[in-house]
Amino acid sequence: MITDKIGLRVKELRTELGLSQEKLALKAEIDRTYLAGVEQGKRNPSVKSLEKIIYALGVKFSEFFKDM
Amino acid sequence: MITDKIGLRVKELRTELGLSQEKLALKAEIDRTYLAGVEQGKRNPSVKSLEKIIYALGVKFSEFFKDM
């Protein structure tokens, strides 16, 4: 499912940056438990919520989705 | 806003395919008025809703987001 793929990609980029879920959530101005749910593919984020996460990861949408 | 960029991209790909909003909405199994709202940037679709539209347009996420 797309939510699983997105979750894995968020986790991949977050760990590449050496950021904890707490740090990334703070940067993205979202709740830590919400971010955890997204990483686990349990949430179906809106594009605006996803945008916050993607920008906090320091990438563009094209880079985020490049292998999907 | 990301919703505007997504809306313009949906419209661009839909018109390239020569599809009406009705035809694309039917293919994506979503409401025509919902699709219209997405194209106008008035809706904030979830990634699962966006997936339906992107697949109905016959592209991958990477292709859809390539210039964003």
Side-chain angles (χ1 to χ4, degrees), chain B residues 1-60:
Chain B
M1 280 213 288
I2 188 66
T3 46
D4 292 311
K5 289 181 197 164
I6 286 171
L8 289 171
R9 182 72 172 133
V10 170
K11 188 170 185 176
E12 176 185 46
L13 291 167
R14 177 176 63 74
T15 52
E16 273 178 27
L17 291 171
L19 289 177
S20 64
Q21 286 186 339
E22 286 80 0
K23 287 266 170 65
L24 180 61
L26 201 68
K27 210 174 163 192
E29 300 184 324
I30 59 171
D31 194 84
R32 208 274 311 165
T33 58
Y34 180 74
L35 176 63
V38 170
E39 286 194 1
Q40 292 164 50
K42 290 179 182 168
R43 294 299 206 116
N44 179 23
S46 71
V47 294
K48 284 191 183 178
S49 294
L50 185 62
E51 181 185 37
K52 288 184 177 184
I53 299 171
I54 290 179
Y55 287 0
L57 288 166
V59 295
K60 300 177 95 174

Side-chain angles (χ1 to χ4, degrees), chain A residues 51-68:
Chain A
E51 182 186 37
K52 287 185 177 185
I53 299 171
I54 289 178
Y55 288 0
L57 288 165
V59 295
K60 299 176 95 174
F61 272 73
S62 54
E63 175 67 16
F64 184 85
F65 284 109
K66 74 178 163 64
D67 294 320
M68 290 188 220

Side-chain angles (χ1 to χ4, degrees), chain A residues 24-59:
Chain A
L24 180 61
L26 201 68
K27 209 173 162 195
E29 300 183 325
I30 59 172
D31 194 83
R32 207 274 311 164
T33 58
Y34 180 74
L35 175 62
V38 170
E39 285 195 1
Q40 291 163 52
K42 290 178 180 167
R43 295 299 206 116
N44 179 23
S46 71
V47 294
K48 283 191 184 180
S49 294
L50 186 62
E51 182 186 37
K52 287 185 177 185
I53 299 171
I54 289 178
Y55 288 0
L57 288 165
V59 295

